[in-house]
Structures are given as C-alpha cells and as structure tokens.
Amino acid sequence: MTAPAPPPRQSPIGKAWAFVRNTWRGLTSMRTALVLLFLLALGAIPGALLPQRSLNAQKVDQYIQNRPTLGPWMDRFELFDVFGSFWFTAIYVLLFISLVGCILPRCLDHYRALRTPPVKAPRNLTRLSHHYTGSAEQTPDEVIAGVRKELRGWRTEVRPGARDGEITLAAEKGYTRELGNLVFHLALVCLLVAIAVGKLFGYEGNVIVIANDGPGFCTTSPAVFDSFKAGNVNDGTGMAPICVRVKDFKGDYLENGQAEMFTSNIEYQSGADLQSNTWRSTRIQVNHPLRVAGDRIYLQGHGYAPTFTVTFPNGQTRTESLQWRPEDARTFLSSGVLRIDPPGGMYATDEERRKNQIAIEGLFAPTALFHGSLLTSSFPTMKDPAVAVDIYRGDTGLDTGKPQSLFALDPEQVKQGRLSKEARVNLRPGESTSLPNGTKVTFDGAQEFANLQVSHDPAQQWVLVSAVTMMLGLLVSLLIKRRRIWVRVYPAEDAAGTLDQRRTVVEMGGLARTDQAGWGSEFDRLRARLLDVRPDSAADTKTTGE
C-alpha cells in the first residue's frame, strides 16, 4: 500500500500572499474594528487625566519634576502628548483602514440585496412559528391584489405556484435597517477624516488680555499669542487678521466661591473694518464664542494682574501690570512675578543698570484673609485685594535673551547672588514700602484679565454633520425591523373535487429577521389588516406561536 503523496509545498510568494490576505481579512473584520474603537477610547483616557503639553507645558514640567522616576518614563511613551503620540496615531489609522475595509464590501452586499427579489415562499408555510390558514370569498387574483395594495412600502414579488391557479406573494421590509447601519459607519469614517483634517490645517492660540480697555491684540502672527499650536501643515502665517480688545469682565459666583458664569464684553475688527478702523461690540461667555472670519474666539477663563509703581531714587517712576497665575481655582489666590527695568539714562553703564533692576514675586489675594502675616484668599471676587511679596534687586535676567518664566524667578539667580532680597512685605492698594537704596515700591491695585483662545478648524462643520448623521443612522438601525411574509392563495375545491374560482384558500406565514420579541402580536395585527378572510373550521389550520 503506497503512502499518500504529500501536499505540494507553497512557494515563498504564495506564503507571502497568504499572509497578506489573512492579515487583511483579520484587519477588516467587524470584530477588529470594535477592538480598535475600544482601544481608541481607552487610549484617550490618559489625555483626559494627565496634563498635556499642548495645553499647559508648565504643568507637564511640574508633573515630571514631582515624579523624577516615573515622570520621564511616562514622557518617553508620550503620555503627555497623547493625541499626537505614535501609538494613538497608529490606533487611529488602523481603525480608519479597518472601517473602510469592512464597510465597502457590506455596501456592495447591500446593493446586491436591494436588486435581489424577495425570497420564494417555503413549500410548507405551516412549519413556520407564525402562520395562518383561512379562506376568502374572492378569486386568487383579487386576494393578491388586495394584499399588495396594503403592503405599500414593502418589496413584493408575485410568482405562480405549483397548483393550478396557485399564486404566491413574497414581501420583505426593513432594508433601511442595514442602510442606517452603513450610514452610521460611513459617518464615523467621515468624522475621523474631518478630525484629522482639522488637526492638520487648524490652529489654536491662547492670549491673555487685560480688561478695562487694555491694549488688546491682533492675530498678525503666532508671536502675539502666549501659547500657539498649529497643525502639521499650517505654520500660522495664513491667519485671518482679527483685532480684539476687552472692555470688561464679569464673573458670577455662588456663595461658596464656585464659578457660575464668566462674561466679557469685547470689541473686534476684521475684514473691511480694519481698513475703516471700525470696532464692533459683542459679548462672549464660556461655550458661547465669537465666530468671525472663519475663526472662533473663546473665553477660556480669567485672573488678576496686579499693578505696581516703582519710584527710583532719582524720582523717576515705572508702573507695570502683569497677569499672575491662579493657584486656587476656588478663591483665585494667585502667584507671579513682575520684573521692572530702571529708566534709560539713569545709570552710567548697562552693568550698573542691570544690578538695580527690581523683581517683585509673591501672592495676590482678591479678598484677603490673613493668618498672622500669612496671606490667603477667601473669595474669588476682588473685594479686599492684598499682596504678600518678596522684593529683589539685581539682575533679573531681562537682558540675557533667555526665556523667562512669567510666574517665578530663576532660583539660580538668587543662589548665585545676582538677585538679593531687599524686603518681604504685605501690601494693600495704595500702600508702599521703601528699599535700603531709596527705591519705593507701591501696590496700586489689580485689574482683571481674560484668557482668550483663537481657534481655527476648517472641518468643524463636517464634524458636526458627521456626528448628526451618525446619530440618525444609529436611530434608523435600531428602530427599523426586518420582516418577511408570504401569502399563498389557490382556488378551493368543492365537494365534487372541482375548483371553485369564487372561493380561495389563503395561507400566510412570516419570519422576523431581527427583534423577535413581539413578533407574534405584530403578525396577528398584520394578518388582520391584510386578509379579510375567515379561518378554516379545522382546529389545526390556524396556528400562531412565539
């Protein structure tokens, strides 16, 4: 007995093709798409829980500094840049490919199903769980014509039967259920594309503007923003020119200090208004932005900008205001630093001038509450402002050309002796203190500032359209039910065995393709609407069951 011949060995090209084919089939399966969608949602969680460098780089640096072991490893895995990380992008792209590869074949199958007539009636309708047998005092053609008239909106097909004079009608509805399912997934693909386009061609810039007719800003370049993030194919040079200035700011708070609403009245210019120097007034609130020139201007938040006047020994003065960072979101206790350079010509050399620069660092409380000499704030509105500051004299680093923090001095400058602490004092508006060299520092009060965000997303409307279309497609796929019914009619036989053309035997059966619950009562209602017949007298000729 000879052994069976071994199967032919597959060539390397065949193995490679089989690997690619199997990988593609696995990637484009609905199960894989669901897994990738779950991974995308799971991967977005760190972006919501951890500080993101694109939103607040200082918080990220502080987070890493507080966790010297874990922080750098988290940064290596781009957990502080989640939505731009390599692994999130990989999931995003794979999900897109999986959805496209899964949806297109289903669209073709649905198109073929729409062109295919309803399925022929089973040979024995009484085997169906829901069926009916009766008779009508009409001809078979009249019965079928009446049924077709009642089945408007159903796809119907009339075919001749095996018996003499027999006619069968097959009807089906619910094709829009699969259409809604396909629309949902196609809209999801469009949503992913729109988000990607917005990230590629959009930009976001944040800027702090002093209220009460402060200097304002114009979107002439990314340099005017305190932080700016542009898409991968947008360098920020093509921004629409818009000028904004803040007239006032109002914060509404509950009794416990919780913010209720922020409102700001602003003036703006865009387009032809820039040529005519025409300012238009409007009001913006949180989640109610100004939409102009294809951009959106959001009110993100607010804070306080303390104002100090420094009187130098020769009598010359410098007055400056600068925003300080809120440390407590409930009471708006804020911290920051103000660097003031002496007036030009006051000192003979630049080196001597740098040695007499003034730095004011400390805390600001809109509603002061003192615990001894320690300052805190009891409410976010400016009812009783005060500051607790350290005043330094020396080289503040303004001339080094290096980036300086807006909210803290460089501790290395203090350690190296380039800055010396001259005073530590608590001040209310109008109060002042004098330094040993005769310099006088006065706290003049504070102004509110508004944190504005200028956002441009060319695909924002398509995101909205895609999201609405997704919901509509989902509703259609959930509400529409797939149903099939068959009606078979043929002339009844009289006692002599001859066909009676005026009396017709009617058989009806139905299947629920989806949503089996309630199909029994639905079938009975459908039968009562379609057939004006009387049931046969035999007990087993009419059967319905769940």
Side-chain angles (χ1 to χ4, degrees), residues 283-343:
R283 174 179 293 180
I284 59 175
Q285 294 179 314
V286 177
N287 295 327
H288 292 82
L290 166 66
R291 301 178 185 272
V292 59
D295 289 357
R296 304 179 308 281
I297 301 178
Y298 290 93
L299 178 61
Q300 295 285 87
H302 84 112
Y304 295 96
T307 302
F308 291 89
T309 297
V310 177
T311 305
F312 290 91
N314 65 350
Q316 291 183 285
T317 62
R318 281 285 180 89
T319 300
E320 291 192 18
S321 299
L322 190 65
Q323 67 271 15
W324 283 15
R325 177 176 56 198
E327 299 290 347
D328 188 335
R330 189 178 63 85
T331 65
F332 270 78
L333 181 68
S334 306
S335 66
V337 63
L338 194 66
R339 300 174 178 86
I340 299 177
D341 201 25

Side-chain angles (χ1 to χ4, degrees), residues 306-309 364 385-387 427-433 441-446:
T307 302
F308 291 89
T309 297
F364 168 80
V387 293
L427 300 174
R428 280 190 162 90
E431 296 180 347
S432 60
T433 186
V441 178
T442 304
F443 173 50
D444 299 323

Side-chain angles (χ1 to χ4, degrees), residues 61-306:
D61 295 338
Q62 186 65 39
Y63 190 93
I64 296 175
Q65 184 179 352
N66 294 339
R67 297 162 180 81
T69 302
L70 183 61
W73 280 101
M74 296 173 68
D75 198 20
R76 289 189 184 98
F77 286 100
E78 302 185 38
L79 293 180
F80 304 113
D81 299 282
V82 167
F83 302 107
S85 63
F86 69 92
W87 52 268
F88 192 86
T89 303
I91 298 174
Y92 191 94
V93 172
L94 288 175
L95 175 61
F96 180 81
I97 296 173
S98 179
L99 287 174
V100 172
C102 178
I103 293 171
L104 291 182
R106 288 180 60 185
C107 290
L108 295 176
D109 292 341
H110 185 61
Y111 175 74
R112 296 190 189 101
L114 291 176
R115 296 176 60 87
T116 303
V119 179
K120 293 181 179 180
R123 181 175 300 178
N124 190 353
L125 292 177
T126 59
R127 290 185 177 181
L128 299 177
S129 58
H130 301 285
H131 64 272
Y132 179 87
T133 302
S135 61
E137 300 299 329
Q138 294 174 305
T139 65
D141 290 332
E142 291 173 343
V143 174
I144 292 297
V147 171
R148 293 192 71 177
K149 184 178 180 181
E150 292 292 333
L151 290 178
R152 291 177 180 174
W154 291 59
R155 295 186 61 206
T156 60
E157 182 78 12
V158 177
R159 300 181 178 94
R163 299 184 182 92
D164 290 338
E166 179 181 315
I167 304 174
T168 61
L169 180 143
E172 187 169 354
K173 73 169 185 176
Y175 287 90
T176 50
R177 179 187 180 94
E178 178 64 11
L179 179 62
N181 200 350
L182 293 174
V183 167
F184 170 80
H185 288 91
L186 287 172
L188 177 58
V189 172
C190 293
L191 180 67
L192 295 176
V193 172
I195 292 175
V197 170
K199 293 298 182 182
L200 288 173
F201 296 93
Y203 57 81
E204 288 182 356
N206 290 279
V207 59
I208 290 176
V209 184
I210 303 297
N212 303 320
D213 294 322
F217 73 99
C218 293
T219 59
T220 53
S221 75
V224 304
F225 296 97
D226 298 313
S227 64
F228 186 82
K229 180 184 178 182
N232 294 338
V233 296
N234 190 337
D235 58 3
T237 58
M239 291 186 293
I242 304 171
C243 292
V244 178
R245 60 190 184 192
V246 178
K247 299 291 292 182
D248 57 43
F249 178 90
K250 179 185 178 183
D252 297 323
Y253 301 91
L254 301 177
E255 293 183 358
N256 61 357
Q258 180 180 348
E260 189 174 19
M261 178 55 68
F262 294 151
T263 304
S264 182
N265 291 304
I266 66 172
E267 293 182 336
Y268 68 95
Q269 293 178 327
S270 67
D273 295 338
L274 294 168
Q275 303 295 330
S276 61
N277 196 28
T278 301
W279 290 91
R280 301 179 184 271
S281 299
T282 189
R283 174 179 293 180
I284 59 175
Q285 294 179 314
V286 177
N287 295 327
H288 292 82
L290 166 66
R291 301 178 185 272
V292 59
D295 289 357
R296 304 179 308 281
I297 301 178
Y298 290 93
L299 178 61
Q300 295 285 87
H302 84 112
Y304 295 96

